[in-house]
């Protein structure tokens, strides 16, 4: 009997265990959801003081007690809503959004999220899509020292009184780019800014030193999404990655900071607006980034009173279940814009394919990336005197570069009796020092080959450098492999002599020379290494070639309205700025880039690097024209940008082929390369404010009024006839059937009356008439323009042209014109 009881008890235990395992396996996984609810936030509450249309929100002008009470009410309402709607213990509230948007972020299950979505008063529920990073010489390239800096009183005053907010990975407070100059302190008081300094690991509260005027961090989303790594995911504004420091110093780093890497002096670095102040909002961590943390930072930065908001980060894909312009991220940026903040965003790094931009909305300036004419040429000199061009921020081999050393192919130096696997990482790619014969490679130049490990992303240059250091290479030569084709080589600081040879044609020359000079036995084993080589100086810059050229990685237009990538009547990207091989501040911890560990400066590429250029230039324009709204600043940049390179030729763009170029269009560069000098005095501006953006949304053919009201809380009381009537400094028509009338309005912001002549370079397949053909405006006067577009030839894609307004006082405005002529009638 006892045995039967034991058997029964055992069976019960097994059944119970199976039930527990089944319950665990079927339990819903929690996600982060962003929720917007009805009701006014603090910035737009009826108790707030009225603001002039387009003016910046001023936290110090608001009725403090009223704002504080309303903020408290909103937080309590969010808590009450969650308590009454969701099951106890089924959720964690991460944030209450209360400043520019009324809503919250919650960590819960899909079934609980559906309850929220179905509850009364809820406008929008969106699953967190995550947020990613979009990753010296440029001030001179853009003409700042001789131009706008001179107008602002030189570098000692450029950006004075402007606060640039940066939502990113934080900041390295010890970097000289962010040091406070006690001998030349700021002269302006920040009467419209109210921030805070949140201390924490590696970031004492004293880090806010006057240059850095505010520093906050947002981590609730990251903490909910994963277990953070305490060794790098610091709960403070400290930048363990380096990206945030790079972006901040590009926008507003101090003037003339020496750039020294591995003991070599590369020149001096300066931000675009070196006297602007920096407000830091850390929302991205080495382990991950969440949209919840990013939008919480936008909410706070806006109410703090930043003038410019820089987003070199963001979602990397469009929202799945709503229009691109109505995703939570874009809604937050809309309300930041409503509060008078100039918002600038990276266009993305998914180029060169079309329809890859991740900046969608007309209220945000999306920035494309280009290269300058600076390069860092390296040279490999073979024993027969042949010189092979390569890439690598490396000093010359010992001599310097005059003495030549034995050349060894890694594959020939592999230990014959080693117990390691014979994979490319061990045999060809120099990833593991234990695979190579130290006698063969010591004091030699070792040829490491691009192979499967580099192709699939598991092999690194850092490992090659480590192998070289451990085994005592004189240097390394990293060559292309014909089996994989040419590769893209970016100049990276090497702590040992090294060079990358990215072209297979050059790699073949090296291989042929090596084989000719190498003696082998019958089995193919090397008996004598006869080849020799030396590496020349690779750290000295050369200023040659075409520039600017749109970067291959820079995301391309046209802009699109949904995940199906249906085009819409907005030009994206908006503007082009340098983003290729940009020197700027770095964090020595370099948690995501071991090859840059220990460095205080880094040379990086990406639209992340282009974006802060526009942020800093916007600060200079705002300083020069303090009453201008964000759309006026954006218009001034756009209409004065150039479509031509330094040779006077149309700007080219890098194509899919590694060394290919093609003529660029506005879908590559927007309006063109930013021209800071001309942008301070454009003559005319195209201005759009919050009400105009609402009319744009209400005119979208695939958005009904209920959808707009759900997302924004606004009714469609007024709508444009067509979306392209939004008063932007560009005209985009994504489907022109027969004819269409497009309206624009310009305002004279110059100090004198001026007469303008209108001219059109029509897109292929389209006839364009502009009325009036000329006009005269006194200062502050407004002129309406009408453009009649007629299809003359149906095409299977967009064609491009431009409108040119030429003023009698030498103001010239160019307005990009992009049209898809679908049919003649």
């Amino acid at each position: 009997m006892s045995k039967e009881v034991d058997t029964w008890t055992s069976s019960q235990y097994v059944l119970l265990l199976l039930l527990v395992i089944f319950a665990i396996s079927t339990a819903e996984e929690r996600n982060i959801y962003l929720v917007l609810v009805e009701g006014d936030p603090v910035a737009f509450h009826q108790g707030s003081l009225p603001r002039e249309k387009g003016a910046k929100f001023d936290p110090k002008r608001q009725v403090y007690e009223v704002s504080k009470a309303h903020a408290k009410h909103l937080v309590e309402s969010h808590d009450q809503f969650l308590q009454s709607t969701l099951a106890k213990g089924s959720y964690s509230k991460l944030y209450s959004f209360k400043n520019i948007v009324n809503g919250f972020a919650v960590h819960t299950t899909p079934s609980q999220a559906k309850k929220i979505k179905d509850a009364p008063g809820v406008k929008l529920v969106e699953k967190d899509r995550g947020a990613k990073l979009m990753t010296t010489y440029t001030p001179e390239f853009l003409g700042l020292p001789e131009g706008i800096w001179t107008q602002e009183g030189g570098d000692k005053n450029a950006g004075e009184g402007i606060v640039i907010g940066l939502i990113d990975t934080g900041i390295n407070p010890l970097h000289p780019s962010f040091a406070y100059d006690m001998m030349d302190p700021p002269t302006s008081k920040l009467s419209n800014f109210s921030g805070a300094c949140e201390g924490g690991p590696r970031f004492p509260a004293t880090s806010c030193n006057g240059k850095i005027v505010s520093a906050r961090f947002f981590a609730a989303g990251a903490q909910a999404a994963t277990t953070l790594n305490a060794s790098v995911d610091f709960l403070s504004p400290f930048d363990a990655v380096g990206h945030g420091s790079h972006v901040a110093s590009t926008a507003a780093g101090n003037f003339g900071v020496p750039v020294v890497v591995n003991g070599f002096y590369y020149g001096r670095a300066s931000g675009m607006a070196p006297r602007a102040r920096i407000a830091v909002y850390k929302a991205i961590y080495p382990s991950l980034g969440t949209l919840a943390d990013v939008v919480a930072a936008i909410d706070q930065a806006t109410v703090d009173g930043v003038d410019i908001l820089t987003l070199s980060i963001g979602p990397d894909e469009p929202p799945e279940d709503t229009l691109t312009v109505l995703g939570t991220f874009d809604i937050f940026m809309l309300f930041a814009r409503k509060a008078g903040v100039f918002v600038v965003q990276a266009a993305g790094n998914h180029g060169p394919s079309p329809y890859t931009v991740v900046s969608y909305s007309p209220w945000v300036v999306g920035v494309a990336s280009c290269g300058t004419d600076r390069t860092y040429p390296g040279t490999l000199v073979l024993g027969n005197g042949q010189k092979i061009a390569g890439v690598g921020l490396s000093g010359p081999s010992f001599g310097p570069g005059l003495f030549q050393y034995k050349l060894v192919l890694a594959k020939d130096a592999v230990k014959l009796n080693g117990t390691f696997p014979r994979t490319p990482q061990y045999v060809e790619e120099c990833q593991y020092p234990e695979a190579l014969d130290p006698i063969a490679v010591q004091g030699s130049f070792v040829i490491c080959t691009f192979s499967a490990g580099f192709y699939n992303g598991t092999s690194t240059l850092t490992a090659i450098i480590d192998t070289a250091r451990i085994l005592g290479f004189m240097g390394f030569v990293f060559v292309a492999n014909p089996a994989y084709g040419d590769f893209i080589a970016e100049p990276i600081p090497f702590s040992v002599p090294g060079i990358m040879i990215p072209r297979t044609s050059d790699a073949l020359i090296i291989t042929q020379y090596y084989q000719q000079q190498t003696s082998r036995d019958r089995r193919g084993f090397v008996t004598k290494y006869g080849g020799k080589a030396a590496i020349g100086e690779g750290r000295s810059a050369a200023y040659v070639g075409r520039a600017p050229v749109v970067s291959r990685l820079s995301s391309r237009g046209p802009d699109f309205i949904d995940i199906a990538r249906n085009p819409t009547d907005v030009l994206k990207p908006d503007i082009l700025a340098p983003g290729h091989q940009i020197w700027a501040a770095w964090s020595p911890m370099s948690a995501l880039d071991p090859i840059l560990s220990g460095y205080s400066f880094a040379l990086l590429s990406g639209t992340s690097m282009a974006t802060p250029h526009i942020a800093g230039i916007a600060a200079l324009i705002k300083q020069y024209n303090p009453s201008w709204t964000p759309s006026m600043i954006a218009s001034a940049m756009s209409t004065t940008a150039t479509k031509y390179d330094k040779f006077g030729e149309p700007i080219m763009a890098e194509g899919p082929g590694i060394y290919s170029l093609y003529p660029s269009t506005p879908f590559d560069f927007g309006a063109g390369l930013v021209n800071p000098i001309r942008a301070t005095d454009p003559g005319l501006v195209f201005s759009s404010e919050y009400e105009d953006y609402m009319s744009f949304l209400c005119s979208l053919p695939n958005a009904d009024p209920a959808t707009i009201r759900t997302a924004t809380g606004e009714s469609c009381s007024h709508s444009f006839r067509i979306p392209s009537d939004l008063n932007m400094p560009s005209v985009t028509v994504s489907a022109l059937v027969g004819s269409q009338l497009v309206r624009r309005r310009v305002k004279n912001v110059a100090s004198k009356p001026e007469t303008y002549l209108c001219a059109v370079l029509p897109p292929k397949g389209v006839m364009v008439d502009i009325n009036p053909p000329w006009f005269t405006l006194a200062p502050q006067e407004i002129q309406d323009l009408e453009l009649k577009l007629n299809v003359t030839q149906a095409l299977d894609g967009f064609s491009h042209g431009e409108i040119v307004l030429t003023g009698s006082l030498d103001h010239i405005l160019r307005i990009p014109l992009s049209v898809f002529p679908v049919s003649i009638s």
Side-chain angles (χ1 to χ4, degrees):
M1 179 70 182
S2 174
K3 188 174 181 180
E4 290 178 4
V5 171
D6 287 346
T7 303
W8 172 242
T9 304
S10 174
S11 299
Q12 282 183 311
Y13 176 78
V14 171
L15 179 61
L16 181 62
L17 183 62
L18 289 171
L19 287 172
V20 170
I21 293 171
F22 177 76
I24 292 173
S25 65
T26 57
E28 286 187 290
E29 184 176 332
R30 289 193 180 195
N31 298 303
I32 299 172
Y33 294 90
L34 307 174
V35 182
L36 305 186
V37 296
E38 293 180 355
D40 290 333
V42 170
F44 313 120
H45 181 52
Q46 289 180 347
S48 299
L49 294 178
R51 292 181 296 119
E52 186 179 338
K53 184 182 290 189
K56 187 167 76 78
F57 175 78
D58 183 351
K60 294 183 179 179
R61 284 188 69 245
Q62 302 307 306
V63 181
Y64 177 76
E65 291 301 329
V66 173
S67 297
K68 186 178 179 181
H70 186 59
K72 184 173 182 288
H73 163 72
L74 292 178
V75 173
E76 291 173 349
S77 70
H78 301 158
D79 293 338
Q80 292 169 4
F81 172 88
L82 288 167
Q83 291 167 10
S84 62
T85 306
L86 304 185
K88 187 176 181 180
S90 67
Y91 70 91
S92 298
K93 190 186 80 169
L94 306 179
Y95 294 106
S96 271
F97 308 128
K98 55 189 181 295
N99 296 316
I100 59 171
V101 166
N102 182 15
F104 52 85
V106 62
H107 191 225
T108 191
T109 61
S111 60
Q112 297 295 306
K114 188 177 186 304
K115 289 183 181 180
I116 296 174
K117 191 172 184 178
D118 295 339
V122 173
K123 298 193 299 183
L124 180 69
V125 177
E126 182 180 310
K127 183 179 175 182
D128 194 308
R129 291 177 280 147
K132 295 183 178 179
L133 309 175
M134 308 295 175
T135 285
T136 140
Y137 170 57
T138 45
E140 286 81 0
F141 182 74
L142 293 172
L144 289 174
E146 296 80 22
I148 187 172
W149 280 5
T150 304
Q151 296 176 24
E152 305 292 359
D155 60 87
K156 297 291 185 182
N157 194 45
E160 184 68 56
I162 306 297
V163 178
I164 300 178
L166 299 118
I167 299 177
D168 215 288
T169 61
I171 199 165
N172 173 10
L174 300 179
H175 199 282
S177 290
F178 315 121
Y180 179 78
D181 188 352
M182 296 182 64
M183 302 300 293
D184 187 22
T187 58
S188 60
K189 293 184 178 180
L190 303 177
S191 58
N192 297 332
F193 181 79
S194 179
C197 199
E198 298 176 358
R202 302 197 179 210
F203 200 91
T206 53
S207 299
C208 295
N209 55 7
K211 175 65 175 179
I212 302 172
V213 293
S214 180
R216 303 178 187 268
F217 67 97
F218 301 82
Q223 288 175 302
T226 191
T227 301
L228 296 182
N229 180 350
S231 66
V232 291
D233 295 315
F234 300 112
L235 297 181
S236 78
F238 178 76
D239 181 13
V241 175
H243 188 273
S245 302
H246 199 281
V247 170
S249 65
T250 302
N254 289 330
F255 174 77
V257 177
V259 178
V260 179
V261 176
N262 288 331
F264 186 82
Y265 173 70
Y266 285 91
R268 294 181 179 270
S270 300
M272 296 294 101
R275 293 288 286 185
R277 253 70 74 80
I278 295 170
V280 179
Y281 301 87
K282 178 179 175 178
I284 305 291
Y285 293 79
S287 292
L288 86 165
T290 68
L291 195 53
D293 292 334
V294 170
V295 296
I298 295 174
D299 191 49
Q300 186 62 56
T302 304
V303 81
D304 281 350
V306 300
D307 297 287
I308 317 290
L309 191 57
T310 310
L311 293 157
S312 285
I313 50 91
D316 215 23
E317 294 291 338
E320 294 183 2
D321 52 0
T322 188
L323 302 182
T324 53
V325 293
L326 294 180
T328 304
F329 186 54
D330 285 72
I331 292 297
F332 270 80
M333 292 190 291
L334 171 63
F335 285 107
R337 170 63 190 83
K338 182 182 180 182
V341 179
F342 181 93
V343 184
V344 57
Q345 176 191 15
N349 292 342
H350 295 295
S353 300
Y355 292 98
T356 52
V357 290
V358 295
S359 175
Y360 313 112
S361 297
W363 47 84
V364 181
V365 175
V367 188
S369 166
C370 68
T372 69
D373 58 356
R374 182 186 62 197
T375 60
Y376 289 95
T379 305
L380 176 71
V381 183
L382 300 177
N384 61 5
Q386 281 186 287
K387 294 183 178 180
I388 310 295
V391 178
L393 296 179
S394 165
S397 51
F398 184 77
L402 298 176
F403 302 137
Q404 295 194 323
Y405 300 86
K406 182 175 65 176
L407 195 60
V408 176
L409 182 67
K411 189 184 293 187
D412 288 335
V414 172
K415 293 177 180 176
L416 296 179
N417 57 354
T419 57
F420 49 84
R422 261 45 182 182
T423 61
Q425 290 93 328
Y426 284 85
V427 175
E428 296 179 276
E429 297 183 334
C430 305
Q431 298 295 293
Y432 298 95
E434 62 269 27
L436 301 177
D437 178 0
I439 297 174
V441 299
Q442 187 175 16
S444 304
F445 275 110
V446 179
I447 302 172
C448 311
T449 306
F450 184 107
S451 193
F454 281 97
Y455 185 75
N456 63 31
T458 57
S459 295
T460 67
L461 284 168
T462 304
I464 294 180
I465 293 170
D466 289 343
T467 300
R469 188 181 295 111
I470 291 169
L471 296 180
F473 292 6
M474 176 53 63
F476 68 88
V477 183
F478 181 52
V479 300
N481 186 337
Y484 293 93
D486 298 346
F487 65 87
I488 298 172
E490 294 286 348
I492 300 169
F494 296 147
S495 55
V496 299
I499 192 168
M500 295 181 282
I501 310 295
R503 294 177 184 257
T504 54
S505 57
D506 291 332
L508 183 61
I509 294 172
I510 297 170
T511 301
Q512 290 174 341
Y513 167 76
Y514 174 79
Q515 297 298 352
Q516 291 168 0
Q517 302 297 319
T518 302
S519 301
R520 301 178 184 272
D521 61 19
R522 292 180 180 178
R523 297 172 300 169
F525 296 133
V526 174
T527 57
K528 180 183 178 183
Y529 294 101
K532 293 184 179 299
I535 290 178
E537 177 63 71
R539 300 168 297 184
S540 298
Y543 301 88
V544 295
R546 183 188 294 272
V549 173
V550 180
S551 305
R552 177 179 296 101
L553 55 80
S554 185
S555 288
R556 309 300 209 258
D559 192 11
F560 51 93
I561 197 63
D562 52 30
I563 197 167
R565 285 172 165 73
N566 290 303
T568 191
D569 295 352
V570 174
L571 178 62
K572 291 290 174 178
D574 293 89
I575 198 79
L576 182 69
H580 186 67
Q581 297 181 13
I582 305 299
W583 278 116
W586 195 244
S587 177
M589 181 168 283
S590 194
L592 299 180
D593 289 288
I595 200 167
L596 299 176
S597 179
Y599 297 148
S600 293
F601 291 91
L603 188 71
L604 301 185
S605 299
T607 53
S608 279
M609 284 67 250
T611 302
H613 282 84
I614 296 300
I617 293 166
L620 299 176
I621 297 172
K622 179 73 173 177
Q623 180 190 11
Y624 192 72
N625 301 283
S627 64
W628 282 13
T629 65
S631 66
M632 295 168 75
I633 296 171
S635 171
M637 285 192 198
S638 178
T639 59
T640 58
T642 180
K643 303 190 307 176
Y644 301 97
D645 64 21
K646 71 176 190 178
F647 299 127
E649 300 291 331
I651 292 173
M652 301 293 283
E654 293 179 333
I658 289 184
Y659 303 108
S660 64
L661 294 177
Y662 65 88
S664 57
T665 74
F667 291 162
D668 302 307
F669 59 58
L673 178 69
V674 64
N675 185 326
I677 304 165
R678 292 187 58 220
T680 58
D681 180 24
L684 305 174
V685 293
F686 296 79
S687 180
S688 295
E689 302 308 331
Y690 174 75
E691 293 77 8
D692 301 306
Y693 299 131
M694 289 307 307
S695 296
F696 161 79
L697 291 173
C698 293
S699 68
L700 292 171
N702 36 5
D704 61 88
T707 303
I708 304 301
R709 179 171 176 77
T710 297
T712 66
E714 303 277 1
S715 60
C716 285
S717 57
H718 181 266
S719 172
F720 292 136
R721 296 174 307 109
I722 49 175
S724 52
D725 270 351
L726 179 63
N727 199 40
M728 298 186 68
S730 60
V731 175
T732 305
V733 181
S734 56
L736 180 61
V737 178
S739 65
Q740 185 168 299
L741 196 66
V742 177
R743 297 187 173 97
R744 286 294 181 271
R745 174 174 288 186
V746 292
K747 180 179 183 179
N748 184 1
V749 291
S751 59
K752 297 178 182 179
E754 192 164 3
T755 298
Y756 285 87
L757 182 66
C758 307
V760 178
L761 178 64
K764 182 181 179 182
V766 182
M767 183 174 68
V768 182
D769 291 319
I770 186 166
N771 188 50
W774 63 272
F775 57 89
T776 300
L777 286 180
Q780 301 303 307
E781 280 190 344
I782 290 172
Q783 174 68 51
D784 290 322
L785 302 174
E786 287 189 347
L787 284 73
K788 188 173 183 180
L789 285 64
N790 289 279
V791 178
T792 59
Q793 179 188 354
L795 302 176
D796 58 2
F798 282 90
S799 59
H800 305 277
E802 68 177 357
I803 301 161
V804 181
L805 306 180
T806 304
S808 55
L809 300 180
D810 296 331
H811 290 113
I812 299 175
L813 293 83
R814 299 181 185 277
I815 297 95
L817 187 54
S818 303
V819 183
F820 191 153
V822 175
S823 65
I824 295 176
S825 61

